[in-house]
Amino acid sequence: MGDETASVSKGIFVFKPKKKPQHTTLDELFSENRWYQTYISLWTRLNQDFEDLTESMFTSMTSDLLNFVKTSHQNDVTEIPTAALLTGINMPDHDAQFASLKRQVKEDVSPYVAFLSSQDCGNVKSLMEIMISQFIGLSDDREEYEDDLVKNTLKKSSLNMSLLESWYQQAENELLVVIIPDFESFNAKVLQSFILIISSHLGKLPFVFIFGIATCISTLHTSFPYHVTMKINVHVFKCEPSIVYLNQVLEGIFLDIFCPFHLGGKVLDLFTEIFLFYDFSVQNFVQNIKFAMMEHFSHGNAMALCLMEKTAIKNVLVDFNHEDCENVRHLLSFRNLVESEPYEQRIKLITDDEYFKQAVCDKVVAIQRYIKRLHVFLRCLHALVYDLPGSPLGKNLRELYTLALTKSITQSAEYRESFQLLEFQSKDALQEKLRRIADILAQFVNKGSSKTKLRDFCVEIDRLVRILQNTDVEESEKDEISLEEGLGAMMDRKALKQALFSRSKQKSKTQDKYEKLKQEILAYLSGQFEEYLVHPSTLPFYEIFFFDDISIKNHIIGIHRAAIHNALNDPHRYLQCKCCAISNKRTVKALMPDICIAYKLHLEWGKMINLYDWLMGFLCIVDPQEEDDLSDKSKKVVDPHVQARFTQAVAELEYLGFIKSSKRKTDHVIRLTWEG
């Protein structure tokens, strides 16, 4: 026993484990597996892209706020400059946002930043101590904080405004920025006292407040009385809504032609529902995608082919052994490929690994081309339909993507409705949509695409735009001629009537020409979408790139009642003890936990449960001999120890929500749950 664990009395000694690098355990288990190497490489890149995008988005959103903080004390102030940052209700993302904000303030505005959290500041005294300790450079870690107090010969009671003023005289006239990220969670009276204290020292200490408000600005005004609000000068700043944040992350990272891993329509719809109805957290959304990626890649080395480079695919296939080939053959779409080939090729696909590798390479490269075209044409379709009345195909690209991977989008009712609405588009609106499509195509063609079909589509769109422009010029020239005829001469009523009739006839001809051209344009676009926006399940080995296993819902969204039922009905599943093992789930053993026995017995009753009968059933299982004695001698007394165990089990079931007390019958309880 070392000195650090020497003690007169017994005790438990806690040793903090050393921090291990991320993925250490998984690296030890799966580092030799090709699928894991591909997963780690892809996730590292996607996660870095996500962090970079988040940083750049939040930086751009807070640029005005930083300018406000910088200039807040350029002139004499009598009120505390306060920035109210409306962050929205996506609470799980706030930690990352305010960590970024704190870093930006330190880099661009002032090195003196105090970050105050409601869980650490339950009263004014602790709030002031934490703020002052952060300003003067004491550690945030509690143990190191105590050591710093000793080194600087300070006591907690000495951390007051007088100490801060004397310390600030040696500072370089920098601003003192106080960030409160969770304004609503603070005790309003604590903040009121804090503001009044800081206001009384504003002449000597240049304070600036940043309040993170999740709801609306009225929360701030209702939290403080007038004599407090008059002490702060509030400027309101807004973050982008979390749904905008989500769309940018998806479109910029995961719905990109260079991202090989794709969520299926059902899984993406599930993740979106979790986002919209549970937490509004983009961080959690990305973690759900990470979980889906782990499920996808852990299928085996077949998923090591989930890459977007042809040379990388060939390099992976070279190292494939027979077991790896069998792993690919177990994909469901392989059966469709075999059935579509002649007899001799079928035998080779099943038995000849080298022939099979070449076939896999060809099909996987075809899927790579499909993915690139899928994203290009989805963006083109989105540019065409996103602003239609009612938005049949959705306003966002993710909605269109979800629909396209859920079913054959060009055969859907939403697609037909959208093209019916496009038939009512004016020339200017249709021309603008075609220009947007041309810009999208030019963007991807300029990235080095050598696909002739995509180039041909781009050239054809440019041609259609020019035709529409010429049609506009022709119509305007005819209108000008008609207008000059009407204004250049004095006409009687008959001549004027004839001129107006002639002009309407010319317009009708021009309109008919545009209608015909519009029908040709829409038919051409629809033909292109029907050719390239096919469902991925029509392609062999599509499972390598698309994950659509909706069963992960049970892992991501816990089904609490079902989990509790399984634990109480079959405790062996969790306890893994032989004494609780049962072959039939209706079996009840005396060695089971008391709550499990009571639970399994209560399943045999209807809505109302007689407590005495329940106790007798419990006694029959726990101590059948005593139950026999009671029946023989007609005794009403039960062993107090057994009755206490039963009472505790009933109380626990009531706490879990399975039963409740009955006011109608005091010796009964009401059952609240049912098994379908």
Side-chain angles (χ1 to χ4, degrees):
M1 181 183 294
D3 295 338
E4 55 189 10
T5 57
S7 174
V8 175
S9 60
K10 295 182 179 179
I12 298 175
F13 302 92
V14 179
F15 299 94
K16 294 182 179 180
K18 295 182 179 179
K19 292 184 178 180
K20 296 183 178 180
Q22 196 175 7
H23 307 302
T24 299
T25 305
L26 293 178
D27 280 337
E28 294 174 354
L29 292 174
F30 306 116
S31 59
E32 299 299 325
N33 297 76
R34 296 181 186 87
W35 65 264
Y36 183 72
Q37 296 169 5
T38 304
Y39 158 73
I40 283 295
S41 176
L42 178 59
W43 172 248
T44 302
R45 176 172 67 84
L46 294 178
N47 189 50
Q48 185 60 50
D49 292 343
F50 170 68
E51 292 178 356
D52 294 342
L53 179 62
T54 301
E55 184 74 19
S56 62
M57 284 180 57
F58 196 68
T59 300
S60 61
M61 286 187 290
T62 57
S63 58
D64 294 338
L65 186 151
L66 294 175
N67 290 332
F68 164 75
V69 175
K70 287 180 183 178
T71 59
S72 59
H73 281 270
Q74 286 184 349
N75 301 319
D76 294 336
V77 296
T78 57
E79 301 169 345
I80 305 172
T82 303
L85 180 59
L86 303 182
T87 56
I89 58 175
N90 51 326
M91 298 298 291
D93 293 339
H94 289 178
D95 291 341
Q97 291 178 345
F98 278 96
S100 175
L101 177 61
K102 179 181 178 181
R103 184 168 58 255
Q104 291 177 50
V105 172
K106 282 191 172 185
E107 293 175 355
D108 302 335
V109 181
S110 171
Y112 306 123
V113 179
F115 196 84
L116 307 180
S117 177
S118 59
Q119 61 184 3
D120 300 324
C121 305
N123 52 60
V124 179
K125 183 176 182 295
S126 60
L127 188 152
M128 297 298 294
E129 288 179 356
I130 293 173
M131 181 194 71
I132 295 172
S133 65
Q134 291 187 24
F135 278 141
I136 65 178
L138 299 183
S139 175
D140 293 338
D141 184 83
R142 301 310 301 172
E143 296 181 0
E144 295 180 5
Y145 170 68
E146 299 290 344
D147 294 338
D148 288 346
L149 287 176
V150 175
K151 291 179 182 178
N152 293 277
T153 63
L154 296 173
K155 297 181 180 180
K156 288 186 178 181
S157 58
S158 64
L159 296 177
N160 51 37
M161 295 302 293
S162 300
L163 174 65
L164 186 62
E165 287 182 0
S166 61
W167 166 84
Y168 187 74
Q169 292 177 359
Q170 303 175 359
E172 299 177 354
N173 296 323
E174 298 281 0
L175 297 177
L176 301 179
V177 183
V178 178
I179 299 177
I180 296 179
D182 49 350
F183 177 84
E184 287 92 343
S185 301
F186 265 86
N187 186 316
K189 292 184 178 180
V190 172
L191 285 181
Q192 291 175 23
S193 301
F194 174 65
I195 290 173
L196 293 176
I197 293 172
I198 297 301
S199 177
S200 64
H201 294 82
L202 190 60
K204 297 181 180 179
L205 299 173
F207 276 96
V208 182
F209 290 164
I210 299 177
F211 292 159
I213 301 176
T215 52
C216 58
I217 191 61
S218 61
T219 304
L220 187 146
H221 297 292
T222 56
S223 300
F224 301 143
Y226 176 73
H227 73 279
V228 175
T229 56
M230 65 182 296
K231 301 295 185 181
I232 56 178
N233 182 15
V234 180
H235 289 250
V236 180
F237 301 90
K238 294 183 179 180
C239 290
E240 289 283 358
S242 56
I243 191 67
V244 176
Y245 182 21
L246 174 66
N247 291 335
Q248 292 186 6
V249 168
L250 283 176
E251 295 176 17
I253 300 175
F254 296 101
L255 303 185
D256 186 77
I257 64 172
F258 300 109
C259 178
F261 174 77
H262 292 76
L263 294 176
K266 296 178 183 178
V267 174
L268 181 57
D269 193 49
L270 168 66
F271 290 172
T272 305
E273 286 185 4
I274 295 173
F275 174 84
L276 294 176
F277 299 111
Y278 283 81
D279 55 16
F280 286 98
S281 172
V282 178
Q283 298 277 350
N284 290 351
F285 191 97
V286 174
Q287 290 304 310
N288 289 340
I289 294 180
K290 181 181 180 181
F291 181 82
M293 286 181 63
M294 289 190 289
E295 284 287 318
H296 177 74
F297 281 93
S298 62
H299 175 80
N301 284 339
M303 301 309 166
L305 298 171
C306 186
L307 301 164
M308 289 304 293
E309 301 83 14
K310 184 176 180 179
T311 54
I313 295 293
K314 291 182 177 180
N315 293 335
V316 172
L317 285 172
V318 167
D319 297 332
F320 263 28
N321 54 31
H322 178 71
E323 183 180 351
D324 298 332
C325 292
E326 286 298 312
N327 188 243
V328 180
R329 290 187 177 105
H330 279 87
L331 298 177
L332 293 178
S333 60
F334 175 64
R335 177 176 179 177
N336 298 331
L337 174 63
V338 172
E339 293 177 349
S340 65
E341 295 290 333
Y343 179 78
E344 294 181 358
Q345 277 71 25
R346 292 183 187 182
I347 299 300
K348 288 184 178 180
L349 285 173
I350 297 174
T351 60
D352 189 343
D353 287 347
E354 294 303 319
Y355 179 84
F356 176 73
K357 290 181 184 180
Q358 184 58 46
V360 169
C361 182
D362 295 339
K363 299 302 181 182
V364 169
V365 170
I367 297 177
Q368 291 175 341
R369 289 196 298 268
Y370 163 80
I371 289 174
K372 293 176 182 178
R373 291 173 181 172
L374 172 71
H375 287 294
V376 172
F377 282 91
L378 276 179
R379 291 174 188 269
C380 292
L381 180 58
H382 176 253
L384 197 64
V385 303
Y386 79 96
D387 58 350
L388 291 178
S391 303
L393 289 173
K395 293 184 178 180
N396 301 307
L397 182 61
R398 60 174 172 81
E399 297 173 282
L400 192 61
Y401 174 89
T402 302
L403 184 61
L405 268 68
T406 302
K407 55 186 175 182
S408 180
I409 188 171
T410 56
Q411 304 299 321
S412 65
E414 297 90 342
Y415 179 84
R416 291 192 294 270
E417 181 183 352
S418 297
F419 270 80
Q420 289 175 356
L421 292 172
L422 286 171
E423 292 178 358
F424 297 97
Q425 293 284 294
S426 65
K427 288 190 292 293
D428 292 339
L430 183 58
Q431 186 173 332
E432 179 60 29
K433 290 177 182 293
L434 290 178
R435 284 200 186 99
R436 286 201 292 265
I437 292 175
D439 292 339
I440 293 172
L441 292 172
Q443 177 184 1
F444 287 101
V445 169
N446 291 337
K447 284 187 174 181
S449 174
S450 60
K451 306 299 181 293
T452 56
K453 291 186 177 181
L454 193 59
R455 289 185 179 275
D456 292 344
F457 184 51
C458 184
V459 171
E460 183 63 18
I461 293 296
D462 290 335
R463 187 183 71 83
L464 294 175
V465 170
R466 289 195 299 271
I467 292 177
L468 280 177
Q469 289 176 339
N470 295 335
T471 303
D472 290 342
V473 171
E474 182 181 351
E475 181 181 1
S476 64
E477 289 176 353
K478 291 183 177 181
D479 290 344
E480 290 176 4
I481 293 173
S482 302
L483 186 61
E484 290 175 359
E485 290 176 352
L487 295 177
M490 295 294 293
M491 294 182 292
D492 56 14
R493 295 180 65 181
K494 185 177 180 179
L496 180 60
K497 182 179 179 180
Q498 185 67 27
L500 292 174
F501 178 74
S502 176
R503 180 178 179 184
S504 65
K505 198 171 182 181
Q506 290 175 353
K507 280 192 173 182
S508 178
K509 290 181 180 179
T510 306
Q511 191 69 18
D512 290 342
K513 183 177 180 181
Y514 165 68
E515 290 296 329
K516 183 178 179 180
L517 177 61
K518 179 170 61 177
Q519 293 295 333
E520 293 177 358
I521 291 173
L522 294 180
Y524 172 73
L525 291 174
S526 182
Q528 295 296 310
F529 295 141
E530 290 175 3
E531 180 180 356
Y532 294 110
L533 294 183
V534 296
H535 196 268
S537 61
T538 59
L539 304 172
F541 307 122
Y542 76 96
E543 299 97 332
I544 295 174
F545 294 86
F546 294 88
F547 177 81
D548 203 20
D549 185 2
I550 197 63
S551 65
I552 65 170
K553 178 179 180 180
N554 297 331
H555 301 287
I556 294 177
I557 302 178
I559 305 176
H560 306 298
R561 185 189 158 203
I564 294 173
H565 168 75
N566 291 331
L568 296 179
N569 200 40
D570 186 10
H572 173 71
R573 175 182 296 191
Y574 292 90
L575 299 179
Q576 296 297 315
C577 59
K578 294 181 180 180
C579 59
C580 295
I582 54 177
S583 56
N584 187 346
K585 289 190 176 181
R586 293 187 177 274
T587 303
V588 185
K589 288 188 174 182
L591 295 177
M592 286 182 173
D594 292 340
I595 187 175
C596 297
I597 298 173
Y599 177 79
K600 293 172 77 72
L601 290 174
H602 108 288
L603 294 176
E604 300 176 1
W605 270 277
K607 183 178 180 180
M608 302 292 291
I609 303 177
N610 186 300
L611 285 171
Y612 182 78
D613 293 341
W614 196 2
L615 173 60
M616 291 299 101
F618 182 83
L619 192 65
C620 180
I621 301 298
V622 175
D623 193 352
Q625 183 177 358
E626 182 174 345
E627 198 272 340
D628 292 338
D629 294 340
L630 285 173
S631 61
D632 293 341
K633 300 179 181 179
S634 301
K635 293 182 179 179
K636 297 293 183 180
V637 180
V638 181
D639 183 359
H641 176 70
V642 176
Q643 187 171 358
R645 289 169 56 187
F646 173 75
T647 303
Q648 182 177 359
V650 171
E652 290 172 347
L653 289 176
E654 184 176 7
Y655 176 77
L656 291 174
F658 289 99
I659 60 173
K660 74 172 183 178
S661 301
S662 173
K663 295 181 180 179
R664 190 174 62 181
K665 296 182 178 180
T666 56
D667 59 342
H668 284 65
V669 293
I670 301 174
R671 183 179 172 187
L672 300 177
T673 60
W674 305 91
E675 294 303 316

